[in-house]
Amino acid sequence: MKAAIIGISGYTGRILLRLLAQHPEIKTIVPVSRSKAGKKIIDVDSGFNKQVDFKMNPTKGFCIALEKATGMDFDVVFAALPHLKSAKHLRPFIGKAVIVDLSADFRIKDVAVFKQAYGVEPPRADLLDKAVYGLCEWYGDEIKKKDIIANPGCYPTSCLLALLPLVKEELLEDKIIINSISGISGAGKKVQENLLFCERTENCGAYLPGKMHRHTPEIQNELKNINPRMDVFFTPHLAPLKRGIATTITAELKGNNVKADVTRVFNQYYKKEPFICLRGDIIPQTGDVWGSNRCDLGWYVEGNTLFIFSVIDNLVKGASGQAVQNMNIRFGLDQTMGLKTTAV
Ligand SMILES: NC(=O)c1ccc[n+]([C@@H]2O[C@H](COP(=O)([O-])OP(=O)(O)OC[C@H]3O[C@@H](n4cnc5c(N)ncnc54)[C@H](OP(=O)(O)O)[C@@H]3O)[C@@H](O)[C@H]2O)c1
Protein backbone atom coordinates (compact mmCIF):
# COMPACT_ATOMS: atom_id res chain seq x y z
CA MET A 1 0.00 0.00 0.00
CA LYS A 2 1.11 3.55 -0.72
CA ALA A 3 0.62 6.26 1.93
CA ALA A 4 1.16 10.01 2.14
CA ILE A 5 1.55 11.89 5.41
CA ILE A 6 0.85 15.63 5.22
CA GLY A 7 2.38 17.72 8.03
CA ILE A 8 5.31 15.42 8.68
CA SER A 9 7.19 17.77 11.02
CA GLY A 10 4.49 17.98 13.71
CA TYR A 11 4.23 15.66 16.71
CA THR A 12 1.52 13.43 15.29
CA GLY A 13 3.04 13.46 11.77
CA ARG A 14 6.33 12.21 13.19
CA ILE A 15 4.70 9.36 15.12
CA LEU A 16 2.69 8.40 12.03
CA LEU A 17 5.88 8.23 10.00
CA ARG A 18 7.53 5.98 12.57
CA LEU A 19 4.49 3.69 12.78
CA LEU A 20 4.03 3.39 9.02
CA ALA A 21 7.74 2.82 8.50
CA GLN A 22 7.38 -0.43 10.44
CA HIS A 23 3.95 -1.38 9.14
CA PRO A 24 4.24 -4.58 7.07
CA GLU A 25 1.55 -3.63 4.52
CA ILE A 26 2.86 -0.11 3.85
CA LYS A 27 5.40 -0.41 1.08
CA THR A 28 5.68 3.26 0.12
CA ILE A 29 5.54 6.46 2.18
CA VAL A 30 5.53 9.97 0.75
CA PRO A 31 6.35 12.57 3.43
CA VAL A 32 4.68 15.92 2.68
CA SER A 33 5.69 19.10 4.47
CA ARG A 34 5.25 22.84 4.18
CA SER A 35 8.32 23.70 6.29
CA LYS A 36 10.62 20.75 5.50
CA ALA A 37 10.09 20.28 1.75
CA GLY A 38 13.46 19.54 0.13
CA LYS A 39 14.95 18.13 3.33
CA LYS A 40 15.97 14.49 3.82
CA ILE A 41 13.63 12.72 6.23
CA ILE A 42 16.60 11.57 8.30
CA ASP A 43 17.45 15.27 8.91
CA VAL A 44 13.83 16.02 9.91
CA ASP A 45 13.49 13.05 12.27
CA SER A 46 16.81 11.86 13.59
CA GLY A 47 15.03 9.06 15.46
CA PHE A 48 14.08 7.57 12.11
CA ASN A 49 15.63 4.26 11.15
CA LYS A 50 17.61 4.59 7.89
CA GLN A 51 16.95 0.95 7.08
CA VAL A 52 13.39 1.78 6.10
CA ASP A 53 14.46 4.60 3.77
CA PHE A 54 13.56 2.26 0.89
CA LYS A 55 9.88 2.90 1.65
CA MET A 56 10.47 6.49 0.43
CA ASN A 57 11.70 5.55 -3.04
CA PRO A 58 9.38 7.92 -4.95
CA THR A 59 10.94 10.96 -3.24
CA LYS A 60 14.36 9.35 -2.61
CA GLY A 61 13.95 9.91 1.12
CA PHE A 62 13.16 13.64 0.76
CA CYS A 63 10.12 15.51 2.05
CA ILE A 64 8.12 17.15 -0.71
CA ALA A 65 5.67 20.04 -0.96
CA LEU A 66 1.93 19.43 -1.22
CA GLU A 67 1.86 20.61 -4.86
CA LYS A 68 4.25 17.80 -5.87
CA ALA A 69 2.24 15.17 -4.02
CA THR A 70 -1.04 16.13 -5.68
CA GLY A 71 0.05 14.47 -8.94
CA MET A 72 0.69 11.13 -7.24
CA ASP A 73 -1.66 8.22 -6.50
CA PHE A 74 -2.12 6.94 -2.96
CA ASP A 75 -4.18 4.27 -1.25
CA VAL A 76 -4.32 6.32 1.93
CA VAL A 77 -3.55 9.95 2.81
CA PHE A 78 -3.04 10.97 6.45
CA ALA A 79 -3.39 14.65 7.35
CA ALA A 80 -1.63 15.71 10.56
CA LEU A 81 -2.44 19.40 10.19
CA PRO A 82 -4.12 22.08 12.36
CA HIS A 83 -7.91 22.16 12.36
CA LEU A 84 -9.49 24.38 9.69
CA LYS A 85 -6.36 23.90 7.54
CA SER A 86 -6.67 20.17 7.03
CA ALA A 87 -9.76 19.87 4.82
CA LYS A 88 -8.34 22.49 2.44
CA HIS A 89 -5.03 20.65 2.05
CA LEU A 90 -6.83 17.35 1.53
CA ARG A 91 -8.92 18.65 -1.36
CA PRO A 92 -6.78 17.12 -4.18
CA PHE A 93 -6.97 13.64 -2.60
CA ILE A 94 -10.65 13.43 -1.70
CA GLY A 95 -12.37 10.84 -3.89
CA LYS A 96 -9.01 9.41 -5.02
CA ALA A 97 -7.65 7.92 -1.79
CA VAL A 98 -8.89 6.95 1.65
CA ILE A 99 -8.43 9.96 3.93
CA VAL A 100 -7.54 9.71 7.61
CA ASP A 101 -7.72 13.21 9.04
CA LEU A 102 -6.26 13.83 12.50
CA SER A 103 -7.78 17.30 12.77
CA ALA A 104 -11.31 18.19 13.85
CA ASP A 105 -12.47 19.24 10.37
CA PHE A 106 -14.69 16.20 9.74
CA ARG A 107 -15.39 15.09 13.31
CA ILE A 108 -18.70 16.81 14.07
CA LYS A 109 -21.59 16.39 11.65
CA ASP A 110 -23.82 19.01 13.26
CA VAL A 111 -22.76 22.35 11.74
CA ALA A 112 -24.06 24.34 14.74
CA VAL A 113 -22.10 22.18 17.20
CA PHE A 114 -18.93 22.57 15.11
CA LYS A 115 -19.46 26.33 15.01
CA GLN A 116 -19.89 26.41 18.78
CA ALA A 117 -16.50 24.68 19.17
CA TYR A 118 -14.46 26.28 16.39
CA GLY A 119 -16.17 29.62 15.83
CA VAL A 120 -16.78 28.99 12.12
CA GLU A 121 -18.66 26.50 9.99
CA PRO A 122 -16.87 23.23 9.12
CA PRO A 123 -14.61 23.88 6.11
CA ARG A 124 -16.24 21.07 4.04
CA ALA A 125 -19.78 20.82 5.37
CA ASP A 126 -20.71 19.25 2.02
CA LEU A 127 -18.57 16.19 2.83
CA LEU A 128 -19.64 15.53 6.42
CA ASP A 129 -22.07 12.81 5.38
CA LYS A 130 -19.24 10.95 3.67
CA ALA A 131 -17.14 10.97 6.84
CA VAL A 132 -17.13 8.62 9.84
CA TYR A 133 -16.03 9.44 13.39
CA GLY A 134 -13.06 7.10 13.67
CA LEU A 135 -13.41 5.87 17.23
CA CYS A 136 -12.32 2.37 16.22
CA GLU A 137 -13.93 0.29 18.98
CA TRP A 138 -17.32 1.92 18.30
CA TYR A 139 -17.62 2.63 14.59
CA GLY A 140 -15.63 -0.26 13.07
CA ASP A 141 -18.43 -1.36 10.71
CA GLU A 142 -18.88 2.15 9.30
CA ILE A 143 -15.12 2.76 9.11
CA LYS A 144 -14.88 -0.23 6.74
CA LYS A 145 -17.17 1.52 4.26
CA LYS A 146 -16.14 5.20 4.39
CA ASP A 147 -13.39 7.00 2.49
CA ILE A 148 -13.07 9.91 4.94
CA ILE A 149 -12.16 8.93 8.49
CA ALA A 150 -12.19 11.68 11.12
CA ASN A 151 -9.72 10.55 13.75
CA PRO A 152 -11.10 11.55 17.19
CA GLY A 153 -9.47 14.09 19.50
CA CYS A 154 -7.16 12.84 22.24
CA TYR A 155 -9.24 13.93 25.25
CA PRO A 156 -12.46 12.61 23.63
CA THR A 157 -10.81 9.22 22.98
CA SER A 158 -9.92 8.81 26.66
CA CYS A 159 -13.38 9.98 27.80
CA LEU A 160 -15.62 8.27 25.25
CA LEU A 161 -14.03 4.83 25.47
CA ALA A 162 -14.79 4.97 29.19
CA LEU A 163 -18.29 6.39 28.94
CA LEU A 164 -19.98 5.03 25.81
CA PRO A 165 -20.70 1.46 27.04
CA LEU A 166 -22.19 2.73 30.31
CA VAL A 167 -24.29 5.43 28.65
CA LYS A 168 -25.50 2.96 26.02
CA GLU A 169 -26.57 0.49 28.73
CA GLU A 170 -28.26 3.34 30.68
CA LEU A 171 -26.19 2.84 33.82
CA LEU A 172 -25.46 6.53 34.41
CA GLU A 173 -27.40 9.60 35.47
CA ASP A 174 -27.25 12.46 32.96
CA LYS A 175 -24.60 14.69 34.55
CA ILE A 176 -20.98 13.66 34.00
CA ILE A 177 -17.94 15.36 35.55
CA ILE A 178 -14.64 14.83 33.74
CA ASN A 179 -11.16 15.93 34.79
CA SER A 180 -8.34 15.16 32.37
CA ILE A 181 -4.62 15.72 32.72
CA SER A 182 -2.57 15.99 29.54
CA GLY A 183 1.10 16.09 28.65
CA ILE A 184 2.35 19.16 26.77
CA SER A 185 2.63 17.45 23.36
CA GLY A 186 -1.18 17.53 23.29
CA ALA A 187 -0.89 21.20 22.32
CA GLY A 188 1.22 20.43 19.23
CA LYS A 189 4.70 21.65 18.33
CA LYS A 190 3.88 25.33 17.99
CA VAL A 191 5.98 27.96 19.77
CA GLN A 192 3.79 29.59 22.39
CA GLU A 193 4.79 31.46 25.56
CA ASN A 194 2.68 29.40 27.98
CA LEU A 195 4.12 26.17 26.55
CA LEU A 196 7.79 27.08 27.12
CA PHE A 197 9.80 24.72 29.35
CA CYS A 198 10.16 27.29 32.17
CA GLU A 199 6.44 28.02 32.14
CA ARG A 200 5.39 24.38 32.30
CA THR A 201 8.01 22.48 34.28
CA GLU A 202 7.13 22.04 38.01
CA ASN A 203 3.80 23.61 37.11
CA CYS A 204 0.36 22.07 36.71
CA GLY A 205 -3.15 23.47 36.47
CA ALA A 206 -6.55 23.56 34.80
CA TYR A 207 -7.48 25.54 31.69
CA LEU A 208 -10.66 26.17 29.68
CA PRO A 209 -13.09 24.52 32.16
CA GLY A 210 -16.76 23.66 31.65
CA LYS A 211 -17.95 24.17 28.10
CA MET A 212 -14.97 26.29 27.01
CA HIS A 213 -12.64 23.60 25.65
CA ARG A 214 -13.18 22.58 21.99
CA HIS A 215 -13.31 18.93 22.93
CA THR A 216 -16.36 19.36 25.18
CA PRO A 217 -18.81 19.58 22.24
CA GLU A 218 -17.06 16.60 20.59
CA ILE A 219 -17.48 14.46 23.74
CA GLN A 220 -21.00 15.72 24.37
CA ASN A 221 -22.03 15.22 20.75
CA GLU A 222 -21.14 11.51 20.84
CA LEU A 223 -22.93 10.96 24.16
CA LYS A 224 -26.01 12.90 23.06
CA ASN A 225 -26.29 10.68 19.98
CA ILE A 226 -27.15 7.92 22.47
CA ASN A 227 -28.97 9.97 25.12
CA PRO A 228 -29.83 13.62 24.27
CA ARG A 229 -30.02 14.50 27.99
CA MET A 230 -26.36 13.76 28.73
CA ASP A 231 -24.49 16.80 30.02
CA VAL A 232 -20.72 16.93 30.37
CA PHE A 233 -18.63 19.18 32.63
CA PHE A 234 -15.09 18.82 31.35
CA THR A 235 -11.97 20.35 32.88
CA PRO A 236 -8.63 19.72 31.16
CA HIS A 237 -5.31 20.22 32.97
CA LEU A 238 -1.75 20.53 31.69
CA ALA A 239 0.98 18.64 33.57
CA PRO A 240 4.74 18.68 32.99
CA LEU A 241 4.76 15.43 31.01
CA LYS A 242 5.77 15.02 27.37
CA ARG A 243 3.03 12.53 26.58
CA GLY A 244 -0.01 10.92 28.16
CA ILE A 245 -3.59 11.64 29.19
CA ALA A 246 -5.06 10.59 32.53
CA THR A 247 -8.81 11.10 32.74
CA THR A 248 -10.94 10.78 35.86
CA ILE A 249 -14.69 10.63 35.33
CA THR A 250 -17.22 10.98 38.14
CA ALA A 251 -20.86 10.04 37.58
CA GLU A 252 -23.86 8.81 39.56
CA LEU A 253 -25.09 5.27 38.95
CA LYS A 254 -28.78 5.04 38.08
CA GLY A 255 -31.24 3.05 40.20
CA ASN A 256 -29.90 -0.12 41.79
CA ASN A 257 -26.81 -0.42 39.64
CA VAL A 258 -23.63 -1.39 41.49
CA LYS A 259 -19.98 -1.93 40.65
CA ALA A 260 -20.65 -5.46 39.36
CA ASP A 261 -22.93 -3.96 36.68
CA VAL A 262 -20.17 -1.63 35.54
CA THR A 263 -17.73 -4.55 35.40
CA ARG A 264 -20.24 -6.66 33.45
CA VAL A 265 -20.85 -3.92 30.87
CA PHE A 266 -17.15 -3.15 30.36
CA ASN A 267 -16.50 -6.87 29.83
CA GLN A 268 -19.46 -7.18 27.46
CA TYR A 269 -18.14 -4.41 25.20
CA TYR A 270 -14.39 -4.64 25.53
CA LYS A 271 -13.29 -8.13 26.54
CA LYS A 272 -12.25 -8.98 22.98
CA GLU A 273 -10.84 -5.56 22.08
CA PRO A 274 -7.05 -5.82 21.72
CA PHE A 275 -6.36 -2.21 22.68
CA ILE A 276 -8.70 -1.83 25.65
CA CYS A 277 -7.21 -3.11 28.86
CA LEU A 278 -9.73 -3.54 31.69
CA ARG A 279 -7.86 -3.04 34.97
CA GLY A 280 -10.84 -3.24 37.40
CA ASP A 281 -9.72 -2.08 40.85
CA ILE A 282 -6.33 -0.90 39.64
CA ILE A 283 -6.03 2.79 38.88
CA PRO A 284 -4.06 2.93 35.60
CA GLN A 285 -1.21 5.40 35.11
CA THR A 286 -0.01 7.12 31.91
CA GLY A 287 3.30 5.22 32.14
CA ASP A 288 1.38 1.94 31.76
CA VAL A 289 0.41 2.84 28.17
CA TRP A 290 3.34 5.04 27.02
CA GLY A 291 4.07 4.40 23.33
CA SER A 292 1.30 1.81 23.01
CA ASN A 293 -2.06 2.06 21.27
CA ARG A 294 -3.81 1.01 24.48
CA CYS A 295 -6.53 2.62 26.54
CA ASP A 296 -6.54 1.28 30.10
CA LEU A 297 -9.67 1.56 32.23
CA GLY A 298 -10.03 1.23 36.00
CA TRP A 299 -13.14 1.88 38.11
CA TYR A 300 -14.27 2.31 41.68
CA VAL A 301 -17.68 2.81 43.32
CA GLU A 302 -18.52 4.63 46.58
CA GLY A 303 -22.24 4.60 47.40
CA ASN A 304 -23.91 5.53 44.10
CA THR A 305 -20.90 7.40 42.82
CA LEU A 306 -18.79 5.83 40.09
CA PHE A 307 -15.20 6.86 39.39
CA ILE A 308 -13.65 5.76 36.08
CA PHE A 309 -9.94 6.14 35.36
CA SER A 310 -8.85 6.13 31.73
CA VAL A 311 -5.31 6.54 30.39
CA ILE A 312 -3.90 6.76 26.86
CA ASP A 313 -0.79 8.01 25.11
CA ASN A 314 -2.20 11.13 23.43
CA LEU A 315 0.13 10.72 20.44
CA VAL A 316 -0.69 7.03 19.88
CA LYS A 317 -4.23 5.91 20.85
CA GLY A 318 -5.12 9.62 21.05
CA ALA A 319 -3.86 10.36 17.53
CA SER A 320 -1.43 8.53 15.20
CA GLY A 321 -1.89 5.00 16.56
CA GLN A 322 -5.66 5.24 16.27
CA ALA A 323 -5.15 6.65 12.74
CA VAL A 324 -3.20 3.51 11.79
CA GLN A 325 -5.83 1.33 13.51
CA ASN A 326 -8.45 3.12 11.39
CA MET A 327 -6.45 2.42 8.23
CA ASN A 328 -6.11 -1.25 9.22
CA ILE A 329 -9.88 -1.55 9.74
CA ARG A 330 -10.70 0.30 6.51
CA PHE A 331 -8.42 -1.95 4.41
CA GLY A 332 -9.52 -5.19 6.06
CA LEU A 333 -6.18 -5.78 7.81
CA ASP A 334 -5.77 -7.08 11.34
CA GLN A 335 -6.51 -3.98 13.43
CA THR A 336 -3.38 -4.50 15.53
CA MET A 337 -1.01 -4.55 12.55
CA GLY A 338 1.98 -2.26 13.08
CA LEU A 339 0.76 -1.17 16.53
CA LYS A 340 1.99 -1.93 20.03
CA THR A 341 -0.17 -3.40 22.78
CA THR A 342 2.70 -3.19 25.25
CA ALA A 343 4.07 0.07 26.62
CA VAL A 344 7.64 1.03 25.72
N1 LIG B 1 -0.87 16.46 19.65
C1 LIG B 1 -1.83 15.63 20.01
O1 LIG B 1 -1.73 14.98 21.06
C2 LIG B 1 -3.01 15.43 19.12
C3 LIG B 1 -3.93 14.42 19.46
C4 LIG B 1 -5.07 14.23 18.67
C5 LIG B 1 -5.27 15.04 17.57
N2 LIG B 1 -4.37 16.01 17.27
C6 LIG B 1 -4.66 16.83 16.09
O2 LIG B 1 -3.75 16.42 15.05
C7 LIG B 1 -3.40 17.55 14.25
C8 LIG B 1 -1.89 17.70 14.27
O3 LIG B 1 -1.49 17.89 15.62
P1 LIG B 1 0.04 18.00 16.06
O4 LIG B 1 0.03 17.95 17.53
O5 LIG B 1 0.87 17.06 15.28
O6 LIG B 1 0.35 19.50 15.60
P2 LIG B 1 1.75 20.19 15.37
O7 LIG B 1 2.81 19.47 16.14
O8 LIG B 1 1.56 21.63 15.61
O9 LIG B 1 2.02 19.93 13.82
C9 LIG B 1 1.16 20.37 12.81
C10 LIG B 1 1.94 20.40 11.50
O10 LIG B 1 1.07 20.92 10.51
C11 LIG B 1 1.81 21.73 9.59
N3 LIG B 1 1.23 23.08 9.64
C12 LIG B 1 1.25 23.96 10.66
N4 LIG B 1 0.56 25.09 10.36
C13 LIG B 1 0.09 24.91 9.11
C14 LIG B 1 -0.69 25.69 8.24
N5 LIG B 1 -1.11 26.92 8.58
N6 LIG B 1 -0.99 25.20 7.05
C15 LIG B 1 -0.55 23.97 6.69
N7 LIG B 1 0.22 23.19 7.47
C16 LIG B 1 0.51 23.64 8.67
C17 LIG B 1 3.25 21.71 10.05
O11 LIG B 1 3.90 20.62 9.40
P3 LIG B 1 4.81 20.80 8.08
O12 LIG B 1 5.54 22.06 8.21
O13 LIG B 1 5.67 19.59 8.11
O14 LIG B 1 3.83 20.79 6.93
C18 LIG B 1 3.12 21.38 11.52
O15 LIG B 1 4.29 20.80 12.02
C19 LIG B 1 -4.14 18.75 14.85
O16 LIG B 1 -5.31 18.99 14.17
C20 LIG B 1 -4.41 18.30 16.29
O17 LIG B 1 -5.52 18.94 16.86
C21 LIG B 1 -3.25 16.22 18.01
Side-chain angles (χ1 to χ4, degrees), residues 21 91 111 163 209 211 214 225 240 262 294 309 318 323 343:
R91 194 185 187 95
V111 171
L163 282 168
K211 307 283 186 238
R214 284 176 171 140
N225 282 343
V262 176
R294 244 168 53 201
F309 311 100

PDB file of all heavy atoms in Angstrom, residues 21 91 111 163 209 211 214 225 240 262 294 309 318 323 343:
ATOM      1  N   ALA A  21       6.443   3.347   8.942  1.00  0.00           N
ATOM      2  CA  ALA A  21       7.745   2.821   8.501  1.00  0.00           C
ATOM      3  C   ALA A  21       7.899   1.356   8.893  1.00  0.00           C
ATOM      4  O   ALA A  21       8.571   0.586   8.210  1.00  0.00           O
ATOM      5  CB  ALA A  21       8.868   3.645   9.112  1.00  0.00           C
ATOM      6  N   ARG A  91      -8.043  18.518  -0.189  1.00  0.00           N
ATOM      7  CA  ARG A  91      -8.916  18.652  -1.359  1.00  0.00           C
ATOM      8  C   ARG A  91      -8.470  17.803  -2.562  1.00  0.00           C
ATOM      9  O   ARG A  91      -9.270  17.056  -3.129  1.00  0.00           O
ATOM     10  CB  ARG A  91      -8.995  20.135  -1.743  1.00  0.00           C
ATOM     11  CG  ARG A  91     -10.096  20.436  -2.692  1.00  0.00           C
ATOM     12  CD  ARG A  91     -10.067  21.889  -3.142  1.00  0.00           C
ATOM     13  NE  ARG A  91     -11.240  22.167  -3.930  1.00  0.00           N
ATOM     14  CZ  ARG A  91     -12.339  22.684  -3.458  1.00  0.00           C
ATOM     15  NH1 ARG A  91     -12.412  23.052  -2.213  1.00  0.00           N
ATOM     16  NH2 ARG A  91     -13.375  22.861  -4.222  1.00  0.00           N
ATOM     17  N   VAL A 111     -23.462  21.106  12.073  1.00  0.00           N
ATOM     18  CA  VAL A 111     -22.757  22.351  11.740  1.00  0.00           C
ATOM     19  C   VAL A 111     -22.788  23.323  12.920  1.00  0.00           C
ATOM     20  O   VAL A 111     -21.786  23.989  13.238  1.00  0.00           O
ATOM     21  CB  VAL A 111     -23.375  22.979  10.467  1.00  0.00           C
ATOM     22  CG1 VAL A 111     -22.835  24.374  10.203  1.00  0.00           C
ATOM     23  CG2 VAL A 111     -23.086  22.055   9.268  1.00  0.00           C
ATOM     24  N   LEU A 163     -16.882   6.077  28.677  1.00  0.00           N
ATOM     25  CA  LEU A 163     -18.293   6.391  28.943  1.00  0.00           C
ATOM     26  C   LEU A 163     -19.308   5.685  28.035  1.00  0.00           C
ATOM     27  O   LEU A 163     -20.414   5.342  28.484  1.00  0.00           O
ATOM     28  CB  LEU A 163     -18.505   7.904  28.805  1.00  0.00           C
ATOM     29  CG  LEU A 163     -18.032   8.739  29.993  1.00  0.00           C
ATOM     30  CD1 LEU A 163     -18.028  10.214  29.632  1.00  0.00           C
ATOM     31  CD2 LEU A 163     -18.913   8.490  31.214  1.00  0.00           C
ATOM     32  N   PRO A 209     -12.145  25.448  31.528  1.00  0.00           N
ATOM     33  CA  PRO A 209     -13.088  24.515  32.164  1.00  0.00           C
ATOM     34  C   PRO A 209     -14.504  24.593  31.585  1.00  0.00           C
ATOM     35  O   PRO A 209     -14.820  25.522  30.838  1.00  0.00           O
ATOM     36  CB  PRO A 209     -13.090  24.985  33.622  1.00  0.00           C
ATOM     37  CG  PRO A 209     -12.773  26.435  33.544  1.00  0.00           C
ATOM     38  CD  PRO A 209     -11.840  26.614  32.358  1.00  0.00           C
ATOM     39  N   LYS A 211     -17.636  24.370  29.522  1.00  0.00           N
ATOM     40  CA  LYS A 211     -17.949  24.172  28.098  1.00  0.00           C
ATOM     41  C   LYS A 211     -16.930  24.884  27.200  1.00  0.00           C
ATOM     42  O   LYS A 211     -17.123  25.002  25.997  1.00  0.00           O
ATOM     43  CB  LYS A 211     -19.348  24.721  27.776  1.00  0.00           C
ATOM     44  CG  LYS A 211     -20.448  24.178  28.671  1.00  0.00           C
ATOM     45  CD  LYS A 211     -20.863  22.764  28.297  1.00  0.00           C
ATOM     46  CE  LYS A 211     -22.046  22.284  29.092  1.00  0.00           C
ATOM     47  NZ  LYS A 211     -21.782  21.055  29.838  1.00  0.00           N
ATOM     48  N   ARG A 214     -12.593  23.047  23.267  1.00  0.00           N
ATOM     49  CA  ARG A 214     -13.183  22.583  21.995  1.00  0.00           C
ATOM     50  C   ARG A 214     -13.567  21.111  22.016  1.00  0.00           C
ATOM     51  O   ARG A 214     -14.382  20.668  21.200  1.00  0.00           O
ATOM     52  CB  ARG A 214     -12.165  22.799  20.875  1.00  0.00           C
ATOM     53  CG  ARG A 214     -12.092  24.236  20.480  1.00  0.00           C
ATOM     54  CD  ARG A 214     -11.023  24.444  19.450  1.00  0.00           C
ATOM     55  NE  ARG A 214     -11.137  25.794  18.948  1.00  0.00           N
ATOM     56  CZ  ARG A 214     -10.120  26.582  18.686  1.00  0.00           C
ATOM     57  NH1 ARG A 214      -8.894  26.160  18.871  1.00  0.00           N
ATOM     58  NH2 ARG A 214     -10.316  27.797  18.222  1.00  0.00           N
ATOM     59  N   ASN A 225     -25.767  11.558  21.043  1.00  0.00           N
ATOM     60  CA  ASN A 225     -26.287  10.680  19.983  1.00  0.00           C
ATOM     61  C   ASN A 225     -26.973   9.458  20.587  1.00  0.00           C
ATOM     62  O   ASN A 225     -27.871   8.878  19.998  1.00  0.00           O
ATOM     63  CB  ASN A 225     -25.153  10.200  19.067  1.00  0.00           C
ATOM     64  CG  ASN A 225     -24.742  11.277  18.093  1.00  0.00           C
ATOM     65  OD1 ASN A 225     -25.475  12.238  17.871  1.00  0.00           O
ATOM     66  ND2 ASN A 225     -23.546  11.145  17.529  1.00  0.00           N
ATOM     67  N   PRO A 240       3.409  18.687  33.622  1.00  0.00           N
ATOM     68  CA  PRO A 240       4.738  18.679  32.990  1.00  0.00           C
ATOM     69  C   PRO A 240       5.185  17.279  32.557  1.00  0.00           C
ATOM     70  O   PRO A 240       6.123  16.713  33.080  1.00  0.00           O
ATOM     71  CB  PRO A 240       5.651  19.271  34.071  1.00  0.00           C
ATOM     72  CG  PRO A 240       4.933  19.098  35.339  1.00  0.00           C
ATOM     73  CD  PRO A 240       3.485  18.981  35.051  1.00  0.00           C
ATOM     74  N   VAL A 262     -21.172  -2.358  36.346  1.00  0.00           N
ATOM     75  CA  VAL A 262     -20.167  -1.630  35.543  1.00  0.00           C
ATOM     76  C   VAL A 262     -19.162  -2.636  34.972  1.00  0.00           C
ATOM     77  O   VAL A 262     -18.846  -2.619  33.771  1.00  0.00           O
ATOM     78  CB  VAL A 262     -19.433  -0.572  36.427  1.00  0.00           C
ATOM     79  CG1 VAL A 262     -18.323   0.113  35.636  1.00  0.00           C
ATOM     80  CG2 VAL A 262     -20.441   0.440  36.979  1.00  0.00           C
ATOM     81  N   ARG A 294      -2.834   1.509  23.522  1.00  0.00           N
ATOM     82  CA  ARG A 294      -3.811   1.014  24.484  1.00  0.00           C
ATOM     83  C   ARG A 294      -4.584   2.129  25.162  1.00  0.00           C
ATOM     84  O   ARG A 294      -4.096   3.231  25.335  1.00  0.00           O
ATOM     85  CB  ARG A 294      -3.059   0.242  25.561  1.00  0.00           C
ATOM     86  CG  ARG A 294      -3.411  -1.211  25.602  1.00  0.00           C
ATOM     87  CD  ARG A 294      -2.489  -2.011  26.443  1.00  0.00           C
ATOM     88  NE  ARG A 294      -2.306  -1.525  27.794  1.00  0.00           N
ATOM     89  CZ  ARG A 294      -1.259  -1.844  28.543  1.00  0.00           C
ATOM     90  NH1 ARG A 294      -0.327  -2.625  28.046  1.00  0.00           N
ATOM     91  NH2 ARG A 294      -1.150  -1.389  29.756  1.00  0.00           N
ATOM     92  N   PHE A 309     -11.288   5.631  35.635  1.00  0.00           N
ATOM     93  CA  PHE A 309      -9.942   6.140  35.359  1.00  0.00           C
ATOM     94  C   PHE A 309      -9.519   5.612  33.989  1.00  0.00           C
ATOM     95  O   PHE A 309      -9.536   4.399  33.762  1.00  0.00           O
ATOM     96  CB  PHE A 309      -8.966   5.675  36.444  1.00  0.00           C
ATOM     97  CG  PHE A 309      -9.509   5.922  37.833  1.00  0.00           C
ATOM     98  CD1 PHE A 309     -10.088   4.880  38.565  1.00  0.00           C
ATOM     99  CD2 PHE A 309      -9.480   7.192  38.401  1.00  0.00           C
ATOM    100  CE1 PHE A 309     -10.607   5.097  39.830  1.00  0.00           C
ATOM    101  CE2 PHE A 309     -10.002   7.417  39.672  1.00  0.00           C
ATOM    102  CZ  PHE A 309     -10.569   6.371  40.392  1.00  0.00           C
ATOM    103  N   GLY A 318      -4.432   8.322  21.183  1.00  0.00           N
ATOM    104  CA  GLY A 318      -5.118   9.619  21.052  1.00  0.00           C
ATOM    105  C   GLY A 318      -4.928  10.279  19.697  1.00  0.00           C
ATOM    106  O   GLY A 318      -5.516  11.335  19.447  1.00  0.00           O
ATOM    107  N   ALA A 323      -5.078   6.408  14.192  1.00  0.00           N
ATOM    108  CA  ALA A 323      -5.151   6.655  12.742  1.00  0.00           C
ATOM    109  C   ALA A 323      -4.718   5.400  11.978  1.00  0.00           C
ATOM    110  O   ALA A 323      -5.346   5.016  10.980  1.00  0.00           O
ATOM    111  CB  ALA A 323      -4.281   7.856  12.370  1.00  0.00           C
ATOM    112  N   ALA A 343       3.433  -1.243  26.484  1.00  0.00           N
ATOM    113  CA  ALA A 343       4.070   0.068  26.619  1.00  0.00           C
ATOM    114  C   ALA A 343       5.564  -0.037  26.342  1.00  0.00           C
ATOM    115  O   ALA A 343       6.139  -1.109  26.476  1.00  0.00           O
ATOM    116  CB  ALA A 343       3.825   0.609  28.031  1.00  0.00           C
TER     117      ALA A 343
END
